[in-house]
Amino acid sequence: MAAVQGGLADTNEEKDIKTEPSSDGFGNNNANDGRVLSTSPGSSASDQQTLLAVLQFLRKNKLTESVEILRREAGLPEDSPELKGSDSSGAGSGGAAGSGDKEGGDASSLLSRTSSVTAAGEDQPDVNVVLSAYNQQGDPPLYQVYYSGLKKFIESVLDCHRAELSQLFYPLFVHMYLELVYNNHESEAKAFFEKFSGDQECYYEDDLRVLSSLSKREHMRGNETLMDFRTSKFVLRISRDSYQLLKRHLQERQNNQIWNIIQEHLYIDIFDGMPRSKGQIDAMSGSLAGEGKREANKAKVYYGLLKEPEIELPLDDEDEEAENEEGKPKKKKPKKDSMGSKSKKQDPNAPSQTRIPLPELKDSDKLDKIMYMKEATKRIRLGPDNLPSICFYSFLNAYQGLTAVDFTDDSSLIAGGFADSTVRVWSVTPKKLRKVKSAADLNLIDKESDDVLERIMDEKTASESKILYGHSGPVYGISFSPDRNYLLSSSEDGTVRLWSLQTFTCLVGYKGHNYPVWDTHFSPHGYYFVSGGHDRVARLWATDHYQPLRMFSGHLADVTCTRFHPNSNYVATGSSDRTIRLWDVLNGNCVRIFTGHKGPIHALAFSPNGKFLASGATDGRVLLWDIGHGLMIGELKGHTDTIYSLRFSRDGEILASGSMDNTVRLWDAMKAFDDLETDDFTAATGHVHLQDNSQELLLGTYMSKSTPVIHLHFTRRNLLLATGAYNP
């Protein structure tokens, strides 16, 4: 079967994150508002500085022809100051507010600022100096004045605008502090931090702790947090009225310092309508880069399920009896219906069957489908009045450190990954684990016999568990293949290994990640799998390719958890940057960015119908997302520690969450989704009013004695299995 070809191929589809129009100095997507404090018509201050730096660099290297071409393209006059190689002193480096705010810009002051920094002992080329994110822009003692002035203004506006404009505090605080540190104003930076760090939202505590350790310029080299802020724009979503207030204030005050930071490092996404409340803003805030842009969530997502293959369901003995008595099969019809009449016709929201190549069904897969369909007829219908039974598997004496668990889809096997680099597999049923016989013994078997699959197994090797050796570091991720023939494991050693459950040996070691791989997950259709790790990248693999087919790059911190959509066309990734991203397997594009969690995300689960996604994080909250509209639709509060596992029941009625607080909680998923007002899904504002109804949706809390819950699994009949390592 052909696999998805190659790496990130170019696509003709429209990019979801569009280029930001330059018509608004705040980096927002509104073309109608005039630029505030613009340095020149039609170009930003950073563009102006870049142009001057490049011209100076070309002239310095005697590339006069290139200088002339660039000058003509930029529409600069021949006697423009930057073409004369001016070596003026630092008249512009002090950054008196307003030095760059005249219409048309002051090219010579920008150029002299560049020259003065170079003269001060900077050994970088001029281009790098100008493009550096934190050049000296203002008088250090005035930084507190600038920030205090903006703070005073925001606190004086109407309550409805105050909540929205307060979003500016954190990104401005970070960039002003880093700018002071970068320019060796250590005492001023320390005073600035001490005065204003307490004003920031509580969910930025961890980031501020990292920030406080950056007190000298040499500390900034190679620091990941700093790189995040320098390379990505912090996104703020603000109503038009609030934005106009801010713009007017900056125009009146001529606050060039604040303006430069907003222009270079912030992206203000303006929407028409009423300003958002503090609660609505807090629900969506908290990630490293602010909220997701609305443009990022507008791409079409085919969240529907693929059409089920048509398989005739054989009758059981009891079915045949019923047919003999009445003359018609009583139970066969309900069985077909129980699999859902939707499978008979194509879901309009589903991708085409051939959108991505999927493996063909083998005979063994068809047998398994039949078993699944039979189990589905005996499935318990769950609901608020009919909660599932919970069976808890405790790992006792797990001194090797249990780090990951997974069950097979039919709940017959359980595997655990451990900190001592081993993977252990147990049989949950009375049937023991056996290896395939040796090659010599296999030659003696009659291959035409009906029970050949049974004969090839070696009874001498039968045992309740098997240990798999191969990794050279703790195992952090485990995933069984849908057909139960293979097991994936990911480790600190930077590899993902594929194990055969017939021979209990390692078949392949996939090497692509450079750092620990935190999670891996098989596609529901097999063949493909995804992995994510410390290198901030998720990779899509096929079992028969030793190189990844896709690399999903965009997160600003570790990819901590991964999950395939039920139709296998999309992959969801959760990250330490507190965002969830949805990726299109076909072209590698990011089609959704969800923000709202206040801590690293450790659990993801798609609803069985593919429409919704649930996520859990260290903040103890479960958030619910509508994939089609790209919006948060619910918040479930109750856990007091990190949520490590989420699972929907097979019929999607119940959502189970397992946490490090030693509890399993059951939530009424159907009520959460049914209560939604679809009229609230307005693309204009990009937000809905979240109901605080966690207590209404909570159906039950079940505590273990002293066992953190790290994995949950619903059997085909809707029995809930939970696991964790006993913590004496």
Side-chain angles (χ1 to χ4, degrees), residues 69 168 182 245 325 414 426 649:
I69 293 171
L168 286 162
Y182 185 84
L245 277 175
E325 291 170 11
I414 182 175
W426 288 268
S649 60

Side-chain angles (χ1 to χ4, degrees), residues 631-689:
L631 297 172
M632 184 195 300
I633 54 173
E635 179 184 24
L636 307 177
K637 294 182 284 191
H639 283 293
T640 57
D641 207 337
T642 302
I643 296 167
Y644 261 102
S645 186
L646 291 167
R647 282 296 181 276
F648 283 93
S649 60
R650 296 281 176 153
D651 47 23
E653 298 276 346
I654 301 289
L655 173 65
S657 56
S659 168
M660 297 298 283
D661 62 9
N662 303 342
T663 67
V664 174
R665 291 176 185 257
L666 300 178
W667 311 87
D668 190 343
M670 285 308 294
K671 180 174 172 56
F673 299 142
D674 288 347
D675 285 352
L676 284 176
E677 290 291 336
T678 51
D679 294 340
D680 287 343
F681 293 131
T682 54
T685 55
H687 59 265
V688 293
H689 179 69

Side-chain angles (χ1 to χ4, degrees), residues 157-165 239 241-242 245 274-278 281:
V157 299
L158 293 174
D159 290 351
C160 62
H161 301 297
R162 188 183 308 152
E164 287 197 324
L165 294 179
S239 66
D241 292 343
S242 300
L245 277 175
M274 293 292 292
R276 291 188 296 171
S277 66
K278 181 78 165 70
I281 292 169

